[in-house]
Amino acid sequence: MKTSAAPHNLLFQQLADILPQDAILTAKEDLHPYECDGLTAYRHLPLAVVLPTTTEQVQLIVKTCSRLKIPVVARGAGTGLSGGALPHEGGIVLSLARFKQIMEIDTVNLHARVQPGVRNLAISQAVDHLGLFYAPDPSSQIACSIGGNVAENSGGVHCLKYGLTVHNILEIKVVTIDGELLIIGNDRLDTPGYDLLALMTGSEGMLGIVVEVLVKLTVKPETVQVLMADFAMVNDAGDAVAAIISKGIIPAGLEMMDNPALRAAEDFIHAGYPIDANAILLCELDGTEDEVSEQVANVSAILKEYRAGTIHIAKTAAERARLWAGRKAAFPAVGRISPDYYCMDGTIPRKHLAHVLQKINDFSQTYELGVANVFHAGDGNLHPLILYDANRPGELEKAERFGADILALCVKVGGSITGEHGVGHEKLDSMCVQFAEAELEVFHAVKRAFDPDELLNPGKAVPTLHRCAELGAMHVHHGQLSHPELPRF
C-alpha cells in the first residue's frame, strides 16, 4: 500500500489537533522501540507512534487515518511472538499502553471492567485479597496486556481447565475503522445473534481496536497440588499426557518440557528440576480437598504405568510456585543458551504428541539446529524453540524452514498452525497449508465487511491467494483468481 507525502503532512497536522505533543512520536530514535514485537527477526519503522489516553482520542485518530487512507497498527505491550504488531512503513502505530486502569471490580457477578493496557497479571493481583483470580495466564503475563490477549486469544498453563481468553471475557468495546464505538457481548450468559465476541477475539487487530474489556473472575480453588514426574523416554511422557485426559481427569495445568528446556530453566530459576531426565511433566490439580486427593492418586498411578521415574508432590505453596516459575521462565532461560531462538506455536491432537516429538527431533538433525521443547501438553499446544545464530548467514532462513515444517506436520496430524500466538506476519505462508482457497476467500470477505480499505493491521493473518499460489498450495486458473472483486492483502 503506497502513500504519498501530502497525506503524511496532513496526518501530522491533524494528529496535533487531537493529541498533546508528548503523545505523538515521529523522531527516528523514538520510533525504534516500536519497530517490532517479541518476534524481533522482522522490523519496520512506522511513520509515527501515537499514545492516546481516551476512547474519544482513539476514535478521532482512526477517523483521521481512515479519511487519509493511512494504515493503523494497534499495539499493546509488544510481547507478541508472531509479528502481529509489526508496524506498516506507511502507517502509524496506535499504542494502548496508557489505557491501564482497572475501572470496576464486581465481586457479586464475578467480573472486572478493565482498559486494554492493563497487564494480565495485574488483574489477578488486584483481586487476590478477594479470593479471586483471572484464569488465562500466558508466560508473559507479568508484562502482556489484556488488549493484546484479546487480539491473539491468549492461553497459558491453566487454559486446559479454565479456557482461553475467549472463554474468560464477557464484553468488549471496539473502535471500528470509521471511528464508530461498538459494544460486543454483555454481562449475561448469552447474547442474541451471531457470536461477534468470538469473532473479534483472536482477530489480531484486523477488524477493530479494543478499548475496554469485561473479564470473568474465577474463585480460587480450595486445594491445589502440583506433581512433577520425570521420564527417561520423551515418548512415555507424551503418552502419559493422553492417558491422563482419556481417564476423564482435567488438570488445571499439564505441562511438558524436554531435557534442553528443563536444563535451561533449572540453570536460570533453580526450580528443582531433575536435569538428567529426558522429559518432565508438571501436573496441577485443584478443587476440593477430597477431589484433589483422589485425583493425585489416580494421576500418580497413570504416571507410574507410563514409566515415570520419580513422582514429586510439592509440599508448600512456595514450592508449587517455584516449580511453575521454572516453566514460565523457559523462554528467557533458553535465550541464555543460544544467541537467538525461534519460538513456534502449533497445536495437535494429544494422541500424536509422542509421534510429533520424534519428528521434531528428526527435523532438528536434518537442519542441524538445536531445539528445546516446551508444551502446554494437556491441550496439545506445542512451543518448540529452534536455536540458531542470526549472525551466521542463512541460519535464520534455515530456522524458518524448520519452523514451517513443524507447522505443516501439525496440520498433517489434524492440528493447527497456531494455538495462542496468532498468525501475524510470521505464519502467513503456513496459512496456505492449513486453509483452502474457499476458506481464505471467506476470511477476506469478513475483513472487507469490517475494513473495506484494508487499513487495520494490513498484511497480517490472512495471506493473499496469489501468495498461496506462488507457494504451490493453491492453483490460479489461467492467471485469474476466482471472485476478483474480493480484496487481496
Side-chain angles (χ1 to χ4, degrees):
M1 183 181 297
K2 300 292 185 180
T3 51
S4 64
H8 296 174
N9 295 333
L10 189 56
L11 170 70
F12 298 148
Q13 293 171 14
Q14 295 188 14
L15 289 176
D17 293 332
I18 300 169
L19 297 168
Q21 185 177 354
D22 67 350
I24 305 171
L25 308 180
T26 56
K28 194 170 184 179
E29 61 269 23
D30 293 330
L31 299 179
H32 272 297
Y34 299 88
E35 67 185 355
C36 64
D37 57 11
L39 182 62
T40 58
Y42 309 104
R43 302 167 186 259
H44 294 310
L45 288 183
L47 293 176
V49 175
V50 294
L51 297 108
T53 56
T54 69
T55 296
E56 293 74 20
Q57 289 175 342
V58 173
Q59 290 176 277
L60 290 171
I61 292 166
V62 173
K63 281 182 181 178
T64 298
C65 290
S66 178
R67 188 167 56 249
L68 298 175
K69 307 303 182 197
I70 300 291
V72 180
V73 177
R75 178 187 173 100
T79 58
L81 292 169
S82 64
L86 182 70
H88 189 289
E89 290 176 307
I92 69 166
V93 168
L94 194 157
S95 170
L96 294 152
R98 294 182 179 179
F99 281 71
K100 53 186 179 182
Q101 292 184 354
I102 297 177
M103 305 164 72
E104 174 194 5
I105 295 172
D106 185 337
T107 57
V108 175
N109 295 299
L110 295 179
H111 61 232
R113 190 173 296 277
V114 304
Q115 292 185 317
V118 171
R119 291 180 302 111
N120 174 291
L121 184 60
I123 301 175
S124 290
Q125 291 172 331
V127 298
D128 180 70
H129 68 289
L130 300 170
L132 305 171
F133 70 107
Y134 177 64
D137 58 341
S139 295
S140 59
Q141 68 177 151
I142 193 172
C144 67
S145 64
I146 198 68
N149 290 177
V150 172
E152 303 292 353
N153 194 20
S154 302
V157 299
H158 289 100
C159 70
L160 174 60
K161 181 172 183 177
Y162 293 103
L164 301 162
T165 299
V166 69
H167 306 112
N168 287 275
I169 61 174
L170 297 165
E171 175 190 287
I172 57 175
K173 291 184 179 179
V174 179
V175 174
T176 67
I177 188 59
D178 58 4
E180 183 180 2
L181 181 65
L182 304 181
I183 299 176
I184 299 175
N186 56 51
D187 59 359
R188 295 177 290 280
L189 291 177
D190 196 13
T191 302
Y194 294 114
D195 190 357
L196 296 179
L197 184 60
L199 175 64
M200 281 288 179
T201 307
S203 61
E204 304 194 29
M206 295 176 62
L207 306 181
I209 298 172
V210 176
V211 292
E212 193 174 296
V213 187
L214 188 67
V215 303
K216 293 180 184 177
L217 299 175
T218 301
V219 178
K220 288 183 181 179
E222 175 186 315
T223 302
V224 179
Q225 288 278 19
V226 174
L227 293 78
M228 177 177 66
D230 62 74
F231 291 83
M233 298 292 293
V234 175
N235 288 357
D236 287 339
D239 290 340
V241 169
I244 290 169
I245 305 298
S246 70
K247 295 295 185 182
I249 301 170
I250 307 297
L254 185 55
E255 299 287 304
M256 181 174 170
M257 302 168 69
D258 70 2
N259 183 265
L262 71 89
R263 277 181 173 271
E266 177 62 20
D267 186 52
F268 184 34
I269 296 295
H270 309 297
Y273 294 163
I275 60 173
D276 293 331
N278 280 321
I280 62 169
L281 287 181
L282 293 175
C283 179
E284 179 170 300
L285 302 163
D286 66 12
T288 66
E289 187 171 347
D290 289 344
E291 287 174 333
V292 172
S293 295
E294 181 180 356
Q295 288 185 343
V296 167
N298 291 338
V299 168
S300 296
I302 293 169
L303 294 172
K304 290 175 183 176
E305 179 183 350
Y306 284 87
R307 294 172 288 280
T310 302
I311 301 172
H312 176 75
I313 302 175
K315 297 178 178 61
T316 65
E319 188 178 5
R320 288 200 307 269
R322 189 167 64 250
L323 289 176
W324 279 124
R327 164 59 188 87
K328 286 184 175 267
F331 289 7
V334 169
R336 300 170 75 239
I337 64 172
S338 176
D340 301 281
Y341 68 81
Y342 188 27
C343 177
M344 303 311 300
D345 166 52
T347 302
I348 62 170
R350 284 181 293 268
K351 64 182 179 180
H352 293 303
L353 268 173
H355 166 67
V356 170
L357 278 169
Q358 182 58 55
K359 291 294 291 182
I360 290 174
N361 286 332
D362 291 345
F363 291 153
S364 177
Q365 293 181 26
T366 298
Y367 284 101
E368 299 181 326
L369 294 175
V371 63
N373 288 295
V374 182
F375 299 151
H376 301 309
D379 59 0
N381 188 193
L382 319 179
H383 292 316
L385 307 176
I386 300 168
L387 313 183
Y388 73 99
D389 185 348
N391 291 315
R392 293 180 178 173
E395 279 217 351
L396 170 59
E397 293 74 20
K398 194 159 61 167
E400 290 176 321
R401 293 195 299 273
F402 185 173
D405 282 351
I406 292 173
L407 297 182
L409 175 63
C410 290
V411 174
K412 183 177 180 179
V413 300
S416 169
I417 64 166
T418 181
E420 58 177 340
H421 293 175
V423 176
H425 172 79
E426 172 203 21
K427 300 190 185 87
L428 282 170
D429 290 347
S430 295
M431 284 285 284
C432 304
V433 176
Q434 174 133 25
F435 295 105
E437 177 180 357
E439 295 165 313
L440 291 171
E441 286 182 335
V442 171
F443 294 156
H444 283 290
V446 172
K447 169 68 170 173
R448 185 183 185 190
F450 283 87
D451 180 19
D453 293 320
E454 306 164 17
L455 295 174
L456 288 174
N457 210 10
K460 309 285 176 58
V462 184
T464 65
L465 302 191
H466 275 302
R467 181 180 187 130
C468 291
E470 289 172 0
L471 287 167
M474 186 180 296
H475 185 62
V476 178
H477 296 280
H478 306 296
Q480 296 296 317
L481 292 168
S482 59
H483 305 294
E485 75 280 2
L486 288 174
R488 321 291 179 177
F489 57 94

